Amino acid sequence: MEKKWHRPGRSARFGLLSKLIPVLWLTAGMVSAQQYVDVTRFGARRDSSQLATTAIRKAIEAAAKVGGGTVYFPPGLYKTGPIHLRSHITLLIDAGAEIHFSDDFDQYLPMVPSRWEGTDVINFSPLIYADHAENIAIQGRGLLHGHGRKWWHYSEVIVKNSPGSKWQDEFHRLNKDVLHPDLPGWVERGFLRPPFIQFMHCKNVQIEGVTITNSPFWTVNPEYCDNVTVSGVTIDNPQSPNTDGINPESCKNVHISNCHISVGDDCITIKSGKDRSGRKSNVPAENHTITNCTMLSGHGGVVIGSEMSGGVRNIVISNCIFDGTDRGIRIKTARGRGGVVEDIRVDNVIMRNIREQAVVLDTQYVKTNPEPVSGRTPAFRRIHLSNISASGKQAGYVNGLEEMPVEDISFTGLRFRTETGFVLGNARQVVFRDVTLTTTQGPAVTADRVSGLEINGLRTEKAVAGAPVIDLKNVTEALVSGLFLPALADVFLRVSGSESAGIVVTGNHLKKAIIQREQEVPADAIARLP
């Protein structure tokens, strides 16, 4: 027998509707849990005719009172001062919505606990800020505009020629314990531009989908956070001072994916505090994945440091494209920072039009004199790069300290076409395996004061006249094997330095290329096997 559909009676329909009402919409006077809080219902104007700071604050407070919710920005143009998030709050910025942040510095007072280039300070409020919050998010297809130009100009031009200001006076009053060596030059000036988005000591953070532009300083800067996801975000800053893209610092369990970044400084940088302040906090950056991102303009594609005094460990970078950055993968630090960078994996990356080095591992980013190993001494170890193609100026630069060489470094499956090759100094246990490296100037690999060097399966498409393919100086315990060189190569290996020893050459396809041993090299330093 066919069943008939019966429409519920009026009383049943009213009962159903009464259950749905709490999850539909909010008014300014009635707020329920899990609601969308429309900022326009709290007085925000969609034509930017007045500041929406108070309206946005009231909307956040209304949602927070009932345990959290989504603060919604419908399409329109909003002008505001800083936005302070609270636990269990999501900012949803719809397609067609633009939030423009005021460049009136007074809007970012009172100053709040912050971190600036690795040093804990009290400073201007970031444009979007949270402190000790959890389950917070920024989502949507809208635009966040920082109007950073006035900040850049005041910091870089006005402050340098100004006797002082109320903002500088307030900074100095609140930061008496910050020493000049912590922020050389900046403490005296007393005017630190705020990051765009900075979350301090937060858990479960998401930033998804939005476009961010014209940041006053670093753009996305979580500090001391746990479980951070940044996905599908576009960051577009013009040429400007220190407008890095995504800078997680002293965070753990960070996931960055599907982002498109073009900025005035580094695109993505992993940090963990600077010098004295960083060693005092001693909170590492750990367990980060960076994948499926594109980087265009920027000083570096993905960078670790130079503020890394708390240490950096367990980092995976994969499936990324760098096109036109100054450098590709860059890990940098200096004496005085302390900290250990270890267990770094880079795989499946394409680099094009790199203006300087495709790969940099540098523990002398700031030139200093050797000193006894202590808590001030940084260390790099267990860093492995594979399946990378690159074109640009220089293939790579690996530079350790005399008292602390970089250690356990490998390059596998590289395909590089660059003006100059790899330069290595003060390193241990470095491996090149299945690498094609074609240069227009000088050797493919130059090593000085390196021990435990393995070069296996190196190929070059075209030899450089008058230059060896491999140039070793004071290198010990090295294995050179499986090389394939073009017929035009004259010298495939040059060895110099009186400390050279234990160099084994075997199983190479060398045509007529020879080994050139300089006069100071001991006669038994090189063993040539079949």
Side-chain angles (χ1 to χ4, degrees):
M1 187 175 187
E2 183 180 358
K3 293 183 178 180
K4 294 184 178 181
W5 180 80
H6 294 279
R7 183 182 183 187
R10 182 181 179 189
S11 62
R13 295 198 307 271
F14 182 81
L16 178 61
L17 182 60
S18 67
K19 293 178 181 179
L20 291 176
I21 286 174
V23 294
L24 291 178
W25 201 259
L26 295 178
T27 64
M30 297 178 61
V31 180
S32 300
Q34 308 306 318
Q35 292 283 343
Y36 274 59
V37 183
D38 187 334
V39 295
T40 63
R41 293 174 178 259
F42 289 81
R45 305 290 288 271
R46 297 167 63 175
D47 59 3
S48 74
S49 59
Q50 65 183 35
L51 281 176
T53 312
T54 300
I56 295 169
R57 176 177 53 79
K58 289 180 177 180
I60 291 172
E61 289 175 351
K65 284 180 181 178
V66 294
T70 297
V71 175
Y72 174 64
F73 291 79
L77 194 65
Y78 304 88
K79 184 178 180 181
T80 184
I83 298 173
H84 288 197
L85 288 183
R86 298 172 63 175
S87 292
H88 314 298
I89 298 296
T90 293
L91 294 184
L92 179 56
I93 305 160
D94 209 347
E98 297 184 9
I99 302 178
H100 290 255
F101 287 84
S102 171
D103 61 5
D104 176 1
F105 303 156
D106 287 337
Q107 294 294 319
Y108 302 90
L109 301 174
M111 294 186 174
V112 298
S114 182
R115 207 184 201 190
W116 204 88
E117 288 199 352
T119 297
D120 293 297
V121 294
I122 308 296
N123 194 36
F124 285 114
S125 170
L127 280 55
I128 302 179
Y129 177 74
D131 189 12
H132 288 89
E134 61 180 358
N135 302 327
I136 57 176
I138 303 170
Q139 298 175 342
R141 301 296 298 168
L143 173 71
L144 299 170
H145 197 304
H147 290 274
R149 190 168 301 279
K150 184 177 175 182
W151 292 99
W152 309 331
H153 180 73
Y154 196 91
S155 173
E156 298 300 311
V157 178
I158 302 299
V159 170
K160 291 181 179 180
N161 301 303
S162 172
S165 67
K166 62 181 179 181
W167 307 297
Q168 292 164 279
D169 292 343
E170 181 67 356
F171 177 86
H172 288 132
R173 184 182 73 82
L174 295 172
N175 292 279
K176 297 183 184 301
D177 294 334
V178 178
L179 304 179
H180 288 222
D182 293 333
L183 292 170
W186 293 106
V187 170
E188 294 91 332
R189 292 162 68 177
F191 188 90
L192 306 183
R193 292 165 285 140
F196 201 130
I197 300 172
Q198 187 178 67
F199 297 146
M200 303 282 294
H201 305 281
C202 294
K203 294 182 179 179
N204 305 329
V205 174
Q206 291 187 349
I207 304 173
E208 298 179 330
V210 293
T211 296
I212 309 171
T213 188
N214 279 261
S215 177
F217 183 56
W218 293 353
T219 306
V220 176
N221 180 214
E223 298 275 359
Y224 305 111
C225 293
D226 183 8
N227 191 19
V228 176
T229 298
V230 183
S231 179
V233 171
T234 297
I235 300 175
D236 186 10
N237 293 325
Q239 290 297 313
S240 47
N242 314 111
T243 56
D244 297 42
I246 303 173
N247 287 14
E249 188 162 10
S250 294
C251 294
K252 62 181 178 180
N253 306 320
V254 175
H255 323 276
I256 301 171
S257 64
N258 306 313
C259 293
H260 181 76
I261 303 172
S262 182
V263 292
D265 207 318
D266 294 325
C267 294
I268 296 177
T269 306
I270 301 169
K271 300 175 180 288
S272 64
K274 180 181 178 183
D275 297 1
R276 182 185 73 105
S277 180
R279 294 196 302 274
K280 180 180 179 181
S281 298
N282 194 31
V283 178
E286 57 185 337
N287 304 345
H288 290 31
T289 60
I290 299 170
T291 189
N292 298 346
C293 294
T294 56
M295 290 76 158
L296 301 182
S297 177
H299 292 339
V302 177
V303 178
I304 297 175
S306 64
E307 301 88 356
M308 41 65 68
S309 300
V312 179
R313 58 188 179 230
N314 307 338
I315 310 296
V316 174
I317 303 160
S318 66
N319 302 339
C320 291
I321 295 175
F322 310 148
D323 191 348
T325 57
D326 292 350
R327 297 167 182 85
I329 299 294
R330 187 182 193 188
I331 306 178
K332 57 181 180 177
T333 186
R335 294 181 179 96
R337 301 286 157 96
V340 176
V341 176
E342 61 185 357
D343 296 312
I344 313 297
R345 291 275 181 174
V346 181
D347 183 65
N348 203 29
V349 172
I350 294 174
M351 308 182 192
R352 298 179 64 249
N353 306 313
I354 303 300
R355 296 188 179 92
E356 298 295 335
Q357 299 90 8
V359 177
V360 179
L361 311 178
D362 188 8
T363 56
Q364 298 189 58
Y365 174 63
V366 178
K367 301 302 180 184
T368 52
N369 296 322
E371 61 182 52
V373 174
S374 68
R376 291 169 43 86
T377 308
F380 290 176
R381 60 194 180 215
R382 300 193 297 276
I383 301 171
H384 306 291
L385 300 92
S386 59
N387 303 318
I388 300 173
S389 63
S391 65
K393 185 174 181 180
Q394 184 178 11
Y397 181 65
V398 178
N399 185 33
L401 301 175
E402 293 179 29
E403 66 272 23
M404 184 63 72
V406 298
E407 185 173 10
D408 194 359
I409 314 295
S410 70
F411 304 97
T412 305
L414 307 188
R415 300 294 181 268
F416 282 16
R417 297 179 64 88
T418 53
E419 293 180 19
T420 58
F422 274 88
V423 176
L424 317 176
N426 289 316
R428 292 194 293 250
Q429 301 174 32
V430 180
V431 175
F432 290 85
R433 186 174 291 117
D434 184 24
V435 171
T436 299
L437 178 52
T438 301
T439 64
T440 58
Q441 304 172 28
V445 177
T446 300
D448 186 3
R449 292 157 287 121
V450 176
S451 64
L453 174 65
E454 178 184 341
I455 302 176
N456 188 343
L458 176 68
R459 289 168 171 78
T460 184
E461 297 173 1
K462 183 179 180 181
V464 177
V469 177
I470 300 172
D471 194 357
L472 306 183
K473 181 179 181 180
N474 292 320
V475 170
T476 59
E477 305 304 320
L479 173 64
V480 180
S481 64
L483 270 67
F484 182 84
L485 305 180
L488 295 178
D490 296 323
V491 177
F492 90 92
L493 174 64
R494 178 170 63 195
V495 180
S496 62
S498 60
E499 298 177 19
S500 298
I503 299 171
V504 175
V505 181
T506 184
N508 297 294
H509 304 278
L510 303 177
K511 304 292 184 179
K512 297 180 180 180
I514 64 170
I515 298 175
Q516 179 178 327
R517 178 175 65 86
E518 299 298 336
Q519 184 176 358
E520 73 276 10
V521 176
D524 61 351
I526 306 170
R528 187 165 187 173
L529 305 179

